[in-house]
Amino acid sequence: MTAGTLTSVTAERLGDASPQLLAPGGTQWAKVSETTVSLAPTPLDAQPSAYVQTSWAGRPYGALASVGLSAVVAGDALYLRLRWAAAEPRQAISDNDTYADACAVLFPLDGKTAELATMGDERSPVQGWHWRAGTALPFVITATGLGTVSRVPDHPVSVGAAWENGSWSVAFKRGLSEQGVPLTAGASVPLGIAVWSGANSERAGLKAHTPAWLTLTLPK
Amino acid sequence: MATVSSRPARQLAMVFDLNKCLGCQSCSIACKTLWTDAPGMESMWWNIVNTMPGGGTPRDVFSHGGGYKNGEPVPGTFPPLREFGEAWGFDQEATFASGGKAAFRPLERDGSSPEWGPNWDEDMGGGQYPNSYFFYLQQICANCSKPACLEACPRTGLYRREEDGIILIDEERCHGYRFCAEACPYKRIYFNPGRAVAQKCIACYPRLEAGVAPACVRQCPGRVRHVDYMDNLEGHPYKLVHEWKVALPLRPDFGTEPNVFYVPPLAPPAFNEAGEFDETKPRIPDEYLREMFGPGVERALETIQVEREKSARGEPSELIDILIARDWNDLLGPFTANPAELDRPPRGG
């Protein structure tokens, strides 16, 4: 793991034409460097619900301090792996009052600019890849502001997840040329990360996130 | 941050007469077979009838927070499934293997014995013999005018229909966060674990659109339920709520302004030690009724008593006529169409 906190990450190119990178704990990921990305709780006063603001006042959330980020381009696809400590994993929604662990990566929809704190706006939407424990497929979401997240019905993103030794590892995959955020070899794209702790009933806007965009650069 | 949801053009309202309910659960079964027999909905009872005083559904139903106090949202909880009651199986093999001697035991999914369920404390009620008492309380979504559920959702996953004020969950928008279920003080929202969405009573809106009364209203053999738009000044809800003031909101202290109203239970007086009626002491404690139905309950009961006595003397009483509902269709407001006579596409076609 790279020491310190970085705000830019360059994806590594992996020569393997048929990588097994959706096995996020697999040996191939061991060769890939990992960047520690700092997280912070989302601001409570930005939650778009008076109920949520009132019921979570004085109640900690988003306490996860950092997440490990690894990025690889292999074949014609980008793989992003997130790894974080979860001592009490919530691997599925098992009851009315239980919530599953989750994570997401977010980009400006045009790959260039959007407001992260508001999750985009009407003119500059954002798009995210969202994994929730217990589901085999990720959600691809778009948003034009807080509370506007909608799911894209058909999308090319896939995901693999594993919980081992007190940590979640979640790998997303998307073909560079496939539909969605432009992912161009040699170019950079702003990237945000969010993690929800199911054990703490975190969901919706209650999460740990990157307060500012990182920069993800794809190899040429 | 304040969230204010606008009032609809019309508001559907219902009145349930607690003096007529038999506790037969025909309403519950009508709803269950119509709307909640799909996978993931096994434990849902969008309509439920519970004995009161009692724990209700879920257990200790009115103690889980939600609603509003002084206009501010009150934090709530969403009790686990066991507190609502799972869809039990039964220990049939043990019973058969014992030659029928072993008790036929209900079993939770994990094999344990249930500790709560719908109307769990049926007919237990309150008070001490000979002054014991109970009544049945029917609950559905009350389509509140100040809906805590709708206002709690951070992503507008619920909406209110302009044409009748019915509140619906948009299952495309619902992401299963369950703030709505926490915020509903009546705990009338359920969670479908398979689809990870919240689900609740929809006031049978597809029936209403076809001129048919909700299934729980139409199937009630006790003629307990009255339905109409509140702006129909000749309709039963308007007359019972605003003219006669005998139909009251449940737990008005929750601050959500529900649109289901209740004619409170009129019980005989308490017995004294000599076994005679003591006209100065109510069988059902006033403070309990005030907690349940607000400060208007004593006046409402007085009005019902006076009109009942008038009727007993052979004098006319509009109120008693409404409550008796000699013509069944009078209960149904504008929704008198017979579902069996509707033109509908054949099933499975």
Side-chain angles (χ1 to χ4, degrees):
Chain A
M1 191 174 285
T2 309
T5 298
L6 299 179
T7 56
S8 78
V9 176
T10 301
E12 298 175 24
R13 183 171 285 286
L14 198 71
D16 194 333
S18 56
Q20 304 296 309
L21 292 164
L22 281 179
T27 53
Q28 285 181 316
W29 282 107
K31 303 172 194 164
V32 179
S33 67
E34 185 177 59
T35 301
T36 300
V37 177
S38 291
L39 303 179
T42 51
L44 186 62
D45 60 8
Q47 306 295 326
S49 156
Y51 173 82
V52 174
Q53 290 185 18
T54 302
S55 52
W56 282 77
R59 188 172 161 190
Y61 64 90
L64 184 71
S66 66
V67 60
L69 169 65
S70 302
V72 163
V73 169
D76 59 357
L78 170 68
Y79 296 82
L80 293 176
R81 187 189 71 163
L82 304 180
R83 202 161 66 97
W84 71 94
E88 297 177 73
R90 291 291 184 273
Q91 310 213 18
I93 300 172
S94 57
D95 208 331
N96 286 342
D97 56 350
T98 63
Y99 301 88
D101 290 330
C103 70
V105 293
L106 195 72
F107 312 91
L109 182 58
D110 65 2
K112 294 173 184 166
T113 55
E115 186 65 41
L116 178 61
T118 61
M119 291 187 68
D121 55 37
E122 286 290 340
R123 294 179 62 183
S124 301
V126 293
Q127 184 161 88
W129 308 342
H130 179 203
W131 166 83
R132 183 190 275 174
T135 55
L137 292 172
F139 302 110
V140 170
I141 58 101
T142 56
T144 55
L146 296 176
T148 68
V149 166
S150 63
R151 291 172 178 161
V152 177
D154 298 305
H155 64 76
V157 180
S158 48
V159 73
W163 185 84
E164 277 180 344
N165 303 320
S167 289
W168 275 113
S169 297
V170 177
F172 293 100
K173 174 193 177 188
R174 208 208 77 188
L176 296 179
S177 59
E178 286 180 301
Q179 188 188 5
V181 176
L183 298 172
T184 310
S188 296
V189 60
L191 169 73
I193 297 172
V195 175
W196 290 261
S197 167
N200 192 39
S201 302
E202 293 175 15
R203 71 274 199 201
L206 302 162
K207 59 197 174 190
H209 77 149
T210 48
W213 293 115
L214 315 172
T215 301
L216 172 67
T217 302
L218 304 184
K220 288 183 181 171
Chain B
M1 177 185 157
T3 310
V4 178
S5 46
S6 60
R7 306 252 164 173
R10 299 191 89 183
Q11 180 63 58
L12 189 83
M14 296 195 209
V15 171
F16 298 168
D17 185 350
L18 298 181
N19 292 302
K20 296 175 76 178
C21 181
L22 314 168
C24 70
Q25 308 281 2
S26 294
C27 48
S28 305
I29 298 300
C31 176
K32 185 77 190 158
T33 53
L34 191 56
W35 298 118
T36 64
D37 64 348
M41 306 175 91
E42 292 87 349
S43 302
M44 293 186 191
W45 294 94
W46 290 355
N47 179 105
I48 190 62
V49 180
N50 283 290
T51 301
M52 289 287 148
T57 306
R59 189 178 201 158
D60 302 326
V61 56
F62 300 130
S63 66
H64 301 289
Y68 297 93
K69 191 163 192 178
N70 302 322
E72 295 297 319
V74 176
T77 57
F78 187 19
L81 193 51
R82 289 180 74 96
E83 301 292 305
F84 282 84
E86 291 185 16
W88 307 324
F90 287 90
D91 194 358
Q92 294 163 326
E93 288 185 13
T95 304
F96 290 143
S98 73
K101 288 175 185 164
F104 199 49
R105 290 176 51 238
L107 293 176
E108 302 272 32
R109 283 176 302 174
D110 64 4
S112 63
S113 295
E115 295 175 355
W116 201 255
N119 200 17
W120 180 264
D121 44 8
E122 181 171 9
D123 293 2
M124 289 174 68
Q128 292 229 321
Y129 180 83
N131 287 315
S132 42
Y133 62 91
F134 71 79
F135 58 91
Y136 297 115
L137 181 72
Q138 318 80 27
Q139 282 189 267
I140 59 174
C141 169
N143 292 298
C144 301
S145 288
K146 191 164 170 47
C149 56
L150 185 153
E151 295 181 0
C153 182
R155 47 178 291 95
T156 54
L158 300 96
Y159 63 100
R160 176 158 46 193
R161 283 160 46 113
E162 180 67 11
E163 63 268 39
D164 52 20
I166 293 171
I167 292 163
L168 297 176
I169 295 169
D170 180 344
E171 294 190 4
E172 296 294 317
R173 288 208 54 78
C174 177
H175 284 184
Y177 296 146
R178 292 161 270 169
F179 295 115
C180 57
E182 290 181 3
C184 172
Y186 302 103
K187 298 300 154 206
R188 282 295 84 215
I189 295 181
Y190 287 82
F191 181 64
N192 184 321
R195 298 179 53 208
V197 293
Q199 295 180 315
K200 71 168 191 71
C201 163
I202 57 173
C204 287
Y205 76 87
R207 289 168 65 107
L208 297 176
E209 290 173 358
V212 179
C216 62
V217 174
R218 197 175 164 88
Q219 294 297 321
C220 175
R223 303 191 182 184
V224 168
R225 300 184 180 215
H226 307 250
V227 61
D228 207 325
Y229 296 103
M230 195 54 109
D231 63 6
N232 178 8
L233 305 188
E234 297 302 314
H236 287 190
Y238 181 85
K239 282 187 171 288
L240 294 169
V241 173
H242 294 297
E243 275 191 19
W244 286 98
K245 299 186 187 339
V246 295
L248 305 165
L250 179 64
R251 291 300 303 256
D253 55 309
F254 289 154
T256 60
E257 301 175 22
N259 287 299
V260 170
F261 300 85
Y262 295 84
V263 178
L266 184 66
F271 288 109
N272 61 22
E273 287 178 359
E276 294 161 346
F277 280 140
D278 179 348
E279 301 285 347
T280 66
K281 288 187 183 161
R283 180 81 60 93
I284 307 177
D286 290 339
E287 57 270 27
Y288 177 64
L289 292 177
R290 273 198 298 273
E291 181 190 25
M292 290 290 276
F293 305 108
V297 71
E298 281 144 313
R299 186 182 153 186
L301 291 172
E302 207 175 287
T303 301
I304 298 166
Q305 182 72 42
V306 166
E307 292 300 312
R308 198 182 266 191
E309 286 168 5
K310 266 171 64 180
S311 189
R313 290 194 300 269
E315 298 171 25
S317 167
E318 181 196 48
L319 174 61
I320 298 302
D321 285 347
I322 291 172
L323 294 176
I324 289 174
R326 291 182 181 81
D327 183 342
W328 177 54
N329 283 301
D330 290 347
L331 294 163
L332 310 180
F335 308 109
T336 53
N338 180 351
E341 293 171 359
L342 295 180
D343 285 331
R344 291 184 294 184
R347 284 195 173 190

